[in-house]
């Protein structure tokens, strides 16, 4: 009996140890998940501008304080393009030190990509800065700075743009302004459709972002959203549906006309373009190929007509037949009126009937009547053709034979030829 109690006690202790370890692992996993959610940092403005994270510039041959001042000037110039929402080293360093101190003061793209994902950035800008002696216009030695930058997409880790610029203290702000403009021109510009009217659209980017008349655009639509982070951050998927060309520009908006589409454009659809000419041409050509391919692959819709009941078929035929008869009466009436007015005009102009005084206006009246009645005749002739086509498609008129086309027909005879007007209904 004591041996049995000892074994039971040992089993209970073993069970408690295993259970406590499982609870501990579960608690740790939950803590890791909560910590991961808390590390999803922010700092960008909530708008459609590109979210750009600027890393610390890596200095060489100069102090870090000087590099930080140049980085602040670069950040301000990029922000002033109105294309980016920028978070600089001073902002993200203050937040990252509380979450992961090992990522603080990051200079390279390896840790920069991780920081960019934590801050939900679209792009990360990394750069190096070193001092160098250059010769000025007077062939005198002068200290200068060489700044090399590279912009990387945080989703694909692909370098979108790289550049290098050299400047002195006096040239710094001008050169950084031009560098920021080149960064903006080579980055995808994104907006949204504000309103649509027939084939015209209005969208929320304009002259301030570099849009000009004649600029081409790609219009895309959100098709799905794929869950990417634990805290429900989504990576939206878009499908290109149309191409447009700008026809009117204001400071913060513009209007464009649709030049190619595979679907109707609606409010809220995304507008994409580049300011850089080479990248814009590549974007438009790739989108045009994509739209052409989707249009060819889109299955044709076949209209399957249900066989109508006898009563409905009789009613449809009666309505069609009534419209056909009424149109034919009008057609024949204007045909005879045109022929009569034309004959009277020819008779008056031939001089066979002497006209004087107020009667001299009769040729003009007859001519005007000929023109008007001819216009009405051609109108009802087109209606007759439409009704005939409708009747054939509905099976009211047999289309098993190929009728002689309507118009004037010449028939050779021994002493000349005969001319006749033939009309098929």
């Amino acid at each position: 009996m004591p041996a049995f109690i000892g074994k039971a006690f040992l089993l209970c202790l073993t069970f408690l140890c295993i259970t406590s370890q499982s609870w501990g692992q579960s608690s740790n996993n939950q803590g890791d998940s909560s910590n991961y959610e808390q590390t999803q940092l922010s700092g960008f403005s909530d708008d459609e501008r590109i979210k750009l994270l600027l890393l610390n510039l890596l200095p060489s041959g100069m102090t870090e304080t000087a590099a930080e001042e140049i980085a602040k000037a670069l950040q301000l110039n990029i922000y002033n393009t109105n294309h980016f929402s920028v978070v600089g080293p001073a902002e993200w360093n203050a937040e990252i030190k509380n979450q992961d101190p090992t990522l603080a003061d990051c200079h390279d793209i390896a840790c920069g990509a991780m920081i960019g994902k934590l801050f939900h950035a679209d792009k990360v800008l990394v750069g190096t800065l070193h001092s160098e002696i250059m010769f000025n216009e007077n062939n005198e030695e002068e200290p200068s700075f060489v700044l090399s930058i590279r912009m990387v997409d945080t989703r694909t880790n692909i370098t979108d743009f790289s550049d290098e610029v050299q400047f002195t203290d006096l040239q710094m702000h001008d050169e950084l302004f031009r560098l920021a403009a080149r960064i903006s021109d080579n980055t995808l510009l994104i907006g949204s459709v504000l309103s649509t009217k027939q084939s015209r659209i209005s969208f929320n980017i304009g002259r301030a972002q570099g849009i000009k008349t004649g600029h081409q655009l790609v219009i895309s639509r959100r098709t799905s959203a794929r869950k990417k982070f634990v805290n429900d951050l989504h990576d939206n998927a878009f499908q290109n549906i149309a191409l447009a060309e700008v026809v009117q520009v204001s400071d913060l908006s513009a209007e464009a006309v649709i030049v190619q589409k595979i679907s109707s454009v609606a409010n809220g659809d995304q507008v994409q373009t580049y300011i850089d000419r080479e990248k814009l041409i590549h974007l438009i050509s790739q989108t045009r190929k994509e739209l052409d391919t989707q249009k060819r692959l889109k299955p044709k819709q076949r209209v399957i007509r249900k066989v109508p009941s006898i009563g409905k078929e009789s009613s449809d035929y009666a309505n069609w037949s009534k419209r056909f008869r009424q149109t034919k009466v009008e057609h024949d009436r204007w045909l005879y009126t045109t022929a009569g007015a034309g004959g009277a005009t020819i008779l008056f102009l031939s001089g066979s009937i002497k006209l004087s005084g107020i009667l001299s206006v009769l040729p003009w009246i007859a001519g005007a009547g000929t023109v008007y009645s001819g216009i009405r005749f051609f109108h009802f002739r087109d209606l007759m053709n439409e009704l005939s086509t409708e009747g054939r498609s509905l099976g009211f008129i047999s289309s098993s034979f190929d009728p002689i086309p309507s118009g004037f027909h010449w028939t050779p005879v021994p002493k000349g030829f005969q001319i006749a007007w033939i009309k098929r209904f």
Side-chain angles (χ1 to χ4, degrees):
M1 191 67 178
F4 174 76
I5 295 175
K7 291 181 180 179
F9 181 72
L10 182 61
L11 289 174
C12 290
L13 287 177
T14 305
F15 177 76
L16 288 175
C17 290
I18 296 174
T19 305
S20 62
Q21 290 178 0
S22 300
W23 286 346
Q25 291 179 358
S26 177
S27 298
N28 289 334
N29 291 336
Q30 290 177 358
D32 292 340
S33 299
S34 62
N35 290 334
Y36 183 78
E37 292 180 3
Q38 291 175 359
T39 56
Q40 304 305 310
L41 306 175
S42 62
F44 294 101
S45 57
D46 188 14
D47 52 27
E48 293 183 341
R49 289 182 296 174
I50 300 296
K51 296 176 176 59
L52 177 66
L53 186 82
L54 177 61
L55 298 184
N56 297 293
L57 298 179
L58 181 62
S60 175
M62 57 187 302
T63 63
E64 290 190 1
T65 303
E68 290 175 359
E69 294 301 320
I70 294 176
K72 290 179 181 178
L74 177 61
Q75 178 182 351
L76 179 61
N77 279 278
I78 295 176
Y79 177 81
N80 288 338
T81 62
N82 203 29
H83 191 167
F84 301 92
S85 174
V86 188
V87 170
E91 293 88 359
W92 63 260
N93 262 314
E95 296 191 42
I96 204 69
K97 287 180 179 179
N98 298 328
Q99 301 293 337
D100 192 347
T102 60
L103 296 176
D105 299 322
C106 174
H107 297 88
D108 59 84
I109 195 60
C111 59
M114 298 175 60
I115 298 173
K117 292 176 181 179
L118 289 176
F119 278 85
H120 315 155
D122 300 314
K123 313 285 182 182
V124 172
L125 189 69
V126 60
T128 61
L129 183 66
H130 69 272
S131 61
E132 187 176 289
I133 300 299
M134 63 176 291
F135 291 94
N136 57 19
E137 297 177 354
N138 299 324
N139 201 25
E140 298 176 350
E141 291 187 354
E142 186 177 3
S144 66
F145 305 99
V146 178
L147 173 62
S148 300
I149 59 100
R150 185 158 63 104
M151 186 168 63
V152 178
D153 190 289
T154 58
R155 294 180 178 85
T156 61
N157 291 331
I158 295 175
T159 300
D160 290 340
F161 178 72
S162 61
D163 199 356
E164 182 176 284
V165 61
Q166 185 175 10
F167 53 87
T168 63
D169 284 335
L170 296 177
Q171 300 169 340
M172 181 178 70
H173 291 288
D174 292 338
E175 292 297 332
L176 292 182
F177 173 81
R178 285 190 280 268
L179 176 61
R182 291 195 296 272
I183 294 173
S184 176
D185 292 348
N186 286 271
T187 304
L188 187 65
L189 187 61
I190 299 176
S192 59
V193 176
L194 300 177
S195 62
T196 61
K197 184 178 180 182
Q198 296 179 350
S199 62
R200 293 174 71 101
I201 63 169
S202 175
F203 54 97
N204 62 349
I205 51 179
R207 191 179 295 110
Q209 290 81 19
I211 299 297
K212 299 178 181 178
T213 303
H215 209 93
Q216 293 180 303
L217 313 165
V218 174
I219 303 173
S220 57
R221 177 170 297 160
R222 181 181 288 105
T223 56
S224 63
R226 177 171 55 84
K227 189 170 181 180
K228 187 176 181 181
F229 293 118
V230 178
N231 63 341
D232 293 335
L233 183 68
H234 290 79
D235 184 17
N236 297 311
F238 289 85
Q239 179 188 9
N240 296 330
I241 60 172
L243 292 174
E245 183 174 329
V246 177
V247 295
Q248 186 175 352
V249 184
S250 59
D251 289 339
L252 297 176
S253 63
E255 292 187 3
V257 293
I258 305 298
V259 296
Q260 184 180 358
K261 65 178 181 179
I262 59 173
S263 179
S264 299
V265 179
N267 295 350
D269 287 342
Q270 190 179 85
V271 176
Q272 302 176 1
T273 188
Y274 280 101
I275 303 301
D276 181 73
R277 188 69 179 172
E278 184 178 348
K279 286 194 173 183
L280 177 60
I281 292 174
H282 178 73
L283 174 67
I284 296 299
S285 61
Q286 290 296 112
T287 305
R288 184 172 283 113
K289 292 178 182 178
E290 179 183 340
L291 296 182
D292 292 340
T293 302
Q294 292 183 12
K295 188 175 182 179
R296 287 195 298 268
L297 296 179
K298 187 177 181 180
K300 296 182 179 180
Q301 296 181 353
R302 297 181 58 186
V303 178
I304 302 177
R305 298 183 179 275
K306 295 182 178 179
V307 179
S309 61
I310 297 177
K312 185 178 185 300
E313 186 175 2
S314 301
S315 176
D316 291 343
Y317 175 76
N319 294 332
W320 175 86
S321 179
K322 181 180 179 180
R323 288 188 292 127
F324 186 86
R325 287 195 303 269
Q326 291 175 348
T327 305
K328 189 175 187 305
V329 169
E330 291 294 324
H331 170 273
D332 293 344
R333 181 167 71 88
W334 288 109
L335 174 63
Y336 301 144
T337 304
T338 303
T345 303
I346 296 174
L347 182 62
F348 290 144
L349 294 177
S350 66
S352 300
I353 302 177
K354 301 297 181 180
L355 301 174
S356 60
I358 194 173
L359 297 179
S360 61
V361 300
L362 287 178
W364 296 95
I365 296 175
T370 303
V371 173
Y372 178 75
S373 57
I375 293 174
R376 299 298 296 171
F377 161 72
F378 285 113
H379 170 71
F380 283 102
R381 187 188 68 173
D382 293 339
L383 290 180
M384 288 288 294
N385 291 335
E386 293 178 3
L387 288 172
S388 299
T389 303
E390 180 183 351
R392 289 189 182 91
S393 64
L394 295 176
F396 301 151
I397 300 177
S398 175
S399 57
S400 59
F401 65 93
D402 186 15
I404 300 175
S406 301
F408 289 99
H409 292 265
W410 285 266
T411 304
V413 295
K415 295 183 179 182
F417 61 88
Q418 290 181 342
I419 183 171
W421 169 265
I422 298 177
K423 175 65 179 177
R424 287 282 182 179
F425 301 104

